[in-house]
Amino acid sequence: MVTFLPTRPGRLADVPSFDRAIGGAESNLACALAAAGHAVRWVSRVGADGFGDHLLETVGAYGVDVSYVGRDPGRPTGVYFRTAGDRATDAHEVAYYRAGSAASAMSAATVDLAAVRAGRILHLSGITAALSEGCLGLLRELTASAGGGPPVVSFDVNYRAGLWTGSDGAEVLLELARRADIVFVGEDEAELAWGVTGGPSAVRELLPEPEVLVVKQGAAGATAFVSAAARWGLVAQFPAPLKGRYGQPPSPAAGSRAAGAMGVPPLERSREWGRVGAGGTPPGGGTLPAPVSVPTPRPQLTGTFEPAPAVDVVATVGAGDGFAAGFLSGVLRGLPLRQTLRLGHLFAAAALTTPADLAPPPDRDTTDRLTALDAGAWERLRLGPGWTEAGAAEEEERTP
């Protein structure tokens, strides 16, 4: 969507002008990953209007391949307005204008499914599932093959009670989460949606199926559960780098980064290739074994907790998208689990320290340096506005 941010604090009724930006869970994540050096494709639909032009130009400028974004001549691009305050406060206002938008008309029939499945990771959001029956059908189609081969399906629950007109939203999101390979969910939203209390382990008991479950715990940090069979490393060397419609890299910027981003050493995948079916050809050649029946795994109730650094928060909007982008960046790079969790925290901190929904992440040298800190130095780290542009956080320089 196109986002309109107020030029000063106050009620929407009192704010005289707004600055235009972009927003949306999937596009936020796509832009952050592309800015971090990965080859990324965003597949969606926008209107054949000026706002649609703006979205494509802005998202594409990050190096994201937007060549598979459809233009709908009969439906507008979604927009929304919000106040400058933190959305956690009672004074926060958000006005969405996306009913009947081009994105809400997405379905398995209006989206190029082959283009969607072309990457090593396919990331989806529960927000999309709430937009229409067509969108929900699309997500069910895309999660139906999770665990059976490329791509790895990543799903951010993103429970928004106001988006669901019926009472089945929580149940639908639980269904989709159970079909994904990597799942992100907040401890607070798990309680709100499913009534789960008792901490991250209780969430894992509810969701034993995903190979990786990340429970976000706000400013405290996040806990990741990895199935014993997964042997940490879901992303094998599946396809070649993403390419555009005509066989060329998505853009000069993205294309120059694709080889390094997509060419990490092969990593093991836990679920049997036989689930795809007999007689097929897995990546790297060979013959698939006969189909096997994989029982529901027992949940691994001992997770890996990694605290978040202290952050001087400007606005919380977009932090969850940033965390997921950072975590998936770590997965794509084959980083150890703790370093991957730290990367999620750093990407989230980039969003937390800017007023916009989307913030470019710090450069890779900075993130590599910060994620390598010892436990004591990491816990003393404090990040404030502008830290992503400083090259090295001032707080880090003071850390012995």
Side-chain angles (χ1 to χ4, degrees), residues 3 49 118 125 225 276 316 328 330 356 379:
T3 306
D49 50 29
S125 166
F225 298 87
V276 182
T316 60
L328 294 180
E379 292 181 5

Side-chain angles (χ1 to χ4, degrees), residues 314-334:
V314 174
T316 60
V317 181
D321 304 329
F323 180 91
F327 190 91
L328 294 180
S329 178
V331 171
L332 285 165
R333 293 175 59 191

Side-chain angles (χ1 to χ4, degrees), residues 74-100:
R75 296 179 178 86
T77 301
V79 301
Y80 86 98
F81 297 77
R82 67 175 174 86
T83 51
D86 191 323
R87 70 170 45 167
T89 68
D90 293 336
H92 183 75
E93 296 175 76
V94 179
Y96 289 104
Y97 298 92
R98 61 181 170 192

Side-chain angles (χ1 to χ4, degrees), residues 28-68:
N28 285 346
L29 181 139
C31 291
L33 277 174
H38 298 284
V40 184
R41 171 177 293 154
W42 178 50
V43 181
S44 186
R45 288 178 68 80
V46 299
D49 50 29
F51 287 150
D53 294 341
H54 172 65
L55 275 174
L56 293 183
E57 292 168 4
T58 305
V59 174
Y62 279 86
V64 177
D65 175 14
V66 295
S67 61
Y68 289 88

Side-chain angles (χ1 to χ4, degrees), residues 300-362:
Q300 304 298 310
L301 299 182
T302 302
T304 298
F305 173 77
E306 189 63 24
V311 177
D312 297 327
V313 176
V314 174
T316 60
V317 181
D321 304 329
F323 180 91
F327 190 91
L328 294 180
S329 178
V331 171
L332 285 165
R333 293 175 59 191
L335 299 180
L337 180 55
R338 284 195 179 276
Q339 196 170 350
T340 298
L341 283 165
R342 287 186 175 188
L343 202 56
H345 289 319
L346 292 175
F347 276 50
L352 288 168
T353 51
T354 182
D357 292 26
L358 174 64

Side-chain angles (χ1 to χ4, degrees), residues 116-142:
V116 174
R117 294 176 170 133
R120 290 192 294 156
I121 294 179
L122 167 60
H123 182 73
L124 306 168
S125 166
I127 294 175
T128 301
L131 298 183
S132 67
E133 286 298 320
C135 286
L136 175 56
L138 174 62
L139 262 65
R140 282 178 166 149
E141 171 71 23
L142 293 173

